[in-house]
Structure formats: structure tokens, C-alpha cells
Amino acid sequence: MKVLKVFAILLMIIGWLRLDWLMGMHSLKRKRRSSVYPWRKGEMNFYDDGVAWMKSLELDIMEAKRSICLLFYIIEPDEVGRRLFSLLEGRVKDGIEVRILCDALGSKNMKKWVKPLQEAGIHIALSRPLIFKGSLFSLQRRNHRKIVIIDGEIAHVGGFNIGREYVNLDPVLSPWRDYHLRITGSGVEDLLSEFQIDWQREFKKTQNHFEAVSHEAKGSFSYQIVPSEPVNMEAFMLDLFDLAQKSIFIGTPYFIPTEKLFSCLKNKLAQNISITILVPGTPDHALVQPASYHFLRELIDLGAHVYQFEHGFYHAKVLLIDEKLCDVGTTNFDRRSILINDELNVLTTDQRIILQVQQSIQKDLQHSVRISKDQLKPEGIGGSAMELVARSFSHLL
């Protein structure tokens, strides 16, 4: 009887969470903005190593002349985070305006650092504070973006956060593999607009001046800024997949597709379009791997090639269509990122960037193993139960 009661309570919790999710999604769709940024011209640099990217970021911060805006899902106040704080405090003394946004959940360890940084002259806020208002949906919706804007002229966008693991100092998850872009040109203004939207959500009662920089269309790289709120990320990905005539590559730390995206991928396999999926072999969350197994087994059965990265941790978020169209950014291939999180991607057709992304993918595949359907089957009752629980909570992962 006790087991039945526990099972009944669990079903009630799952049902309530599902209803809460559906109501939250309905509200989110009604509030969605409709603006979409056009294709822009500029220069782009690609990074797949956190140490090299951090050196580039620090150099841009040191050379800033007017303003520095930072937004990260995770900022850890470890030795890497504290080095960044020290650098930013020095720039404030030089008369540079510094603003920091970090997600209240992802950067929970930053709470005690807000006041000291404010006293040092840095404007800082925790984005999407954890305040329960009768629904878990608003708590689930996180600001997952990683954006830096220097002087309104240089921007950094991609998968790296701020912390020791991202610069290969974590003994378990190193080397950390991620893809990041440094951007100049007219698209930086679009990124600044997105930062301003996030900033003013947290500072509604204050007037905040954001530097409006007029960019000429300088640079030979063509790209488009794709933020999640004005752009339905699920529809955006479906449109990308519909363009595929030969191949689709998906690189993601978490593979929990929506029903529409899963159906689309199965249809593409039926059309003899090659699909390759790269995910981590070592998970950083307990439920994300078993939640993905059902989807991966079915796709493997239909002919997809699935690889697990076995040399550190794979955290990159990338879509590559026919080796002609590339999407790099912050959006994981899971339901939370695709449907509710604040995310931001960069779409490009530039073959110079695509070639660098391809080379990085090939390097990561060399440190990966191709897995079979049988390897993803749950082991025993415990494994089956874990997969059932993970699938039941998949919309929360």
C-alpha cells in the first residue's frame, strides 16, 4: 500500500508540473515579441578553447574605452571569476561603465558578491530572481545567454560561462569543449538591444542609458543574430532542418528534442538525409542522459550516427546544415532551452567560419565513440526506472 501511495503522489506531482508547464507556455506565447533582426555584415572570430577565448575577452576588456556589458548564465566567484572582478573593478577606476547580469539560479553563488561589486562601482543584478508566485514555470525560465558587449562595438556570444571548468581547471570535466564567437559590425547593435531588454526587466524603475553606436556595414562576414524571445526557437530549428538536402549535424550537451523536432529528424532520415549527433559521454547532470536514450535509440534505429565525446566534457551548441549553414550560440537541444529559456544564437553562411567549425567538429569526433542502440538500453529494473523518471521530467531538464 505504501508503494501505491508513493506512486500516486508521484503521478500527482508529475501531472501538476505538466499542467503548470502548459499554462506557462500559453502565457509565454501570448507575450512573445515579433521583431526579427536582419542579416548583418561584420568580422567574426571562432573559438573552441576556453583559455584562448578568455584571453581574447580580457584583452577586449582592457582596451575598452567607454562601456562593458556582461551577461552570463553562470558566473562562479572562484579564482577565474575573481580575476574577472578584479579586472572590471580596475576598469571602473579608469572611468569605464561596467554592467553585469547573471542568472539567479545558474549564478547562485554570486548572491554574496553583489554588494561588494556594487560598492566597487559596478552595476550588477541577478537576472530572473527566484521568487515563487504560485507557479514553477517562471522559476524554470532561466536567462541562459552568454553575451559580452564592449563599447557597443565588439561582442562575444557562445557557450562559455565564467568559471574554472571553462578554462580546463576542473579535473573531471577537462578539457571543456565549447564554441564561441567574437563579433564586430552592425550586429553588435542588435546584441546591445537584447542586453538592454534583459537589463531593463531587472531595473524597471530606473532610467538606463545605453550607448547607441551607429555601425557601417564593414566586414566581409555575413551573420544574423537570433534571440529566443522574438524568434520561436523551435520553429527556427524546424526551418533550418527543412533546408537540409544532404546532411544535418547536431552538437549539444543535452539531447531532449520537442515532439515536432523529433518527428522532423525522423522524416529527414526517411528522406536519406544523413544525421550526426554528438553528445557528452560524461554527463554533468544525473537525469539528462537517461532522458535522451529513448530519442537516440529510435534515431539510431532509423540510421542516425550518434557519438559520445569521451575526452572531457562536450558543451558546444551547434547546428550545421549541408556544411553551408551554421548556427552557434547558447541554445541546447533540449526542451527547456528551445521552448522557455532566454537564449541567443548566431546564424552564418560564411564558409570561413563554417570551415573552422567543421575542423573543430572533426577534432571532437576523433575523441568520441560511435554508440549503438544496444549500448543505450537501460540495465535492469533500476536503469529502466531511472529512464522512466527522466522521461517524465524531460520538459524540466
Side-chain angles (χ1 to χ4, degrees):
M1 290 296 293
K2 289 183 179 180
V3 174
L4 289 176
K5 286 182 180 180
V6 170
F7 186 69
I9 291 171
L10 182 61
L11 284 178
M12 289 175 64
I13 292 173
I14 292 173
W16 179 75
L17 289 173
R18 183 61 179 168
L19 180 61
D20 181 72
W21 169 274
L22 293 173
M23 292 175 65
M25 282 297 300
H26 178 71
S27 175
L28 177 60
K29 288 176 181 178
R30 286 192 293 109
K31 296 177 182 178
R32 194 181 296 277
R33 292 180 288 125
S34 59
S35 59
V36 178
Y37 296 113
W39 283 81
R40 304 294 196 181
K41 287 288 187 179
E43 296 297 327
M44 302 173 72
N45 298 98
F46 173 75
Y47 296 91
D48 62 3
D49 175 76
V51 176
W53 169 71
M54 183 61 74
K55 287 180 180 178
S56 172
L57 176 62
E58 290 181 349
L59 180 61
D60 284 336
I61 289 173
M62 287 302 299
E63 294 182 349
K65 297 178 177 61
R66 296 177 297 277
S67 64
I68 302 168
C69 298
L70 301 98
L71 166 56
F72 287 94
Y73 176 63
I74 296 174
I75 299 181
E76 285 291 349
D78 53 21
E79 63 268 41
V80 177
R82 293 195 300 271
R83 174 185 168 90
L84 179 64
F85 301 157
S86 179
L87 188 61
L88 293 172
E89 288 170 3
R91 297 316 331 263
V92 169
K93 293 177 182 178
D94 295 333
I96 307 300
E97 183 181 41
V98 177
R99 303 182 187 190
I100 300 176
L101 271 177
C102 50
D103 185 80
L105 180 62
S107 301
K108 57 185 180 296
N109 295 329
M110 280 293 295
K111 190 172 182 180
K112 65 181 180 181
W113 283 83
V114 170
K115 188 174 181 181
L117 290 173
Q118 288 175 335
E119 291 174 347
I122 294 173
H123 305 284
I124 180 171
L126 299 181
S127 185
R128 297 200 175 277
L130 299 169
I131 301 173
F132 182 70
K133 298 180 180 179
S135 170
L136 285 178
F137 185 84
S138 61
L139 299 182
Q140 295 176 52
R141 190 180 180 196
R142 309 314 316 160
N143 193 331
H144 194 245
R145 299 177 175 186
K146 296 94 178 169
I147 311 171
V148 178
I149 303 136
I150 309 293
D151 294 335
E153 297 180 353
I154 299 168
H156 294 251
V157 179
F160 286 114
N161 288 291
I162 303 298
R164 63 194 317 270
E165 63 263 43
Y166 306 102
V167 292
N168 301 329
L169 295 178
D170 186 291
V172 177
L173 299 177
S174 294
W176 186 280
R177 297 294 292 165
D178 236 318
Y179 301 164
H180 219 92
L181 296 169
R182 180 185 185 272
I183 299 172
T184 63
S186 50
V188 177
E189 208 165 335
D190 302 335
L191 292 166
L192 189 60
S193 295
E194 289 301 310
F195 182 89
Q196 181 173 3
I197 290 168
D198 288 342
W199 184 266
Q200 290 186 333
R201 183 177 59 240
E202 312 305 334
F203 291 95
K204 292 178 181 148
K205 296 181 180 179
T206 61
Q207 295 294 321
N208 299 288
H209 172 70
F210 279 78
E211 184 179 13
V213 179
S214 178
H215 292 90
E216 296 180 18
K218 293 181 179 179
S220 57
F221 290 77
S222 180
Y223 61 89
Q224 183 183 36
I225 304 302
V226 184
S228 59
E229 194 164 312
V231 176
N232 182 320
M233 199 60 72
E234 181 185 46
F236 167 72
M237 289 183 175
L238 288 169
D239 288 343
L240 290 186
F241 293 156
D242 280 344
L243 296 173
Q245 296 180 344
K246 295 180 180 179
S247 64
I248 296 171
F249 176 86
I250 301 170
T252 178
Y254 319 117
F255 189 84
I256 309 172
T258 65
E259 291 179 7
K260 289 182 180 179
L261 285 168
F262 188 49
S263 177
C264 177
L265 292 176
K266 290 190 290 184
N267 289 336
K268 292 301 172 183
L269 287 167
Q271 297 168 19
N272 293 320
I273 292 174
S274 171
I275 294 180
T276 302
I277 300 166
L278 177 56
V279 293
T282 302
D284 64 340
H285 296 291
L287 293 178
V288 292
Q289 272 196 342
S292 72
Y293 288 164
H294 161 72
F295 303 106
L296 293 175
R297 284 198 301 266
E298 190 166 344
L299 292 177
I300 290 172
D301 200 37
L302 294 173
H305 300 172
V306 177
Y307 292 84
Q308 284 186 339
F309 185 73
E310 299 292 339
H311 183 58
F313 185 68
Y314 188 80
H315 192 251
K317 306 97 165 53
V318 59
L319 302 176
L320 187 59
I321 310 297
D322 290 342
E323 301 180 352
K324 295 179 179 178
L325 186 63
C326 181
D327 177 69
V328 173
T330 72
T331 308
N332 297 318
F333 206 76
D334 63 31
R335 298 180 183 187
R336 179 190 294 277
S337 267
I338 293 167
L339 296 177
I340 69 171
N341 277 353
D342 299 320
E343 304 283 1
L344 195 141
N345 291 10
V346 180
L347 187 64
T348 185
T349 56
D350 192 279
Q351 286 302 306
R352 289 163 291 182
I353 290 295
I354 289 176
L355 178 60
Q356 292 179 63
V357 171
Q358 284 180 283
Q359 291 172 343
S360 190
I361 289 171
Q362 289 304 314
K363 179 180 178 180
D364 291 332
L365 287 174
Q366 289 173 6
H367 292 102
S368 304
V369 294
R370 185 175 173 182
I371 54 177
S372 67
K373 177 182 175 181
D374 289 340
Q375 289 174 289
L376 297 180
K377 287 183 177 178
E379 296 183 5
I381 297 175
S384 297
M386 176 68 78
E387 184 172 326
L388 178 61
V389 171
R391 286 181 61 184
S392 299
F393 288 93
S394 61
H395 62 288
L396 304 178
L397 301 176

